[in-house]
Amino acid sequence: MKDGIHPEYKDVIFFDASVDFKFLTRSTMTARGGETMKWTDGKEYPVVRLDVSSESHPFYTGKQKVLDTAGRVEKFRQKYGMYTSNKG
């Protein structure tokens, strides 16, 4: 690799606070505000906070929300039904 053109590749903890899930991996991402966290090996690593991870995403957890689309359609028709015309 050429020197000086690649970002620094280092150990980083990715942390999903919504489910208290964290994992250690290598990345080029940098922690905002210089936040660090102690890992199980006793070393301090920079932390990148996540909004969604495999532990909290509905697709991976199997806890998908079922949307009541029929109810939404009926609500829409009740609200805006007077504006539609039934010309045959």
Side-chain angles (χ1 to χ4, degrees):
M1 292 193 315
K2 283 187 173 181
D3 289 334
I5 64 167
H6 297 284
E8 183 183 354
Y9 193 64
K10 59 192 175 293
D11 292 327
V12 176
I13 296 174
F14 286 91
F15 179 54
D16 183 357
S18 65
V19 289
D20 194 32
F21 175 69
K22 48 192 156 234
F23 59 95
L24 178 68
T25 188
R26 294 182 53 82
S27 177
T28 59
M29 292 186 71
T30 56
R32 289 185 182 167
E35 182 182 6
T36 61
M37 186 180 290
K38 189 175 264 190
W39 191 245
T40 56
D41 63 0
K43 295 180 182 176
E44 292 268 334
Y45 296 102
V47 176
V48 175
R49 292 190 173 264
L50 302 172
D51 294 328
V52 177
S53 69
S54 61
E55 290 293 312
S56 63
H57 193 280
F59 179 79
Y60 294 106
T61 61
K63 297 177 184 175
Q64 294 177 331
K65 295 180 183 176
V66 178
L67 297 177
D68 182 19
T69 55
R72 288 182 178 195
V73 170
E74 290 304 317
K75 193 175 186 180
F76 178 83
R77 286 185 178 157
Q78 287 176 357
K79 187 173 183 179
Y80 298 104
M82 65 183 126
Y83 299 115
T84 60
S85 62
N86 294 330
K87 293 181 181 176

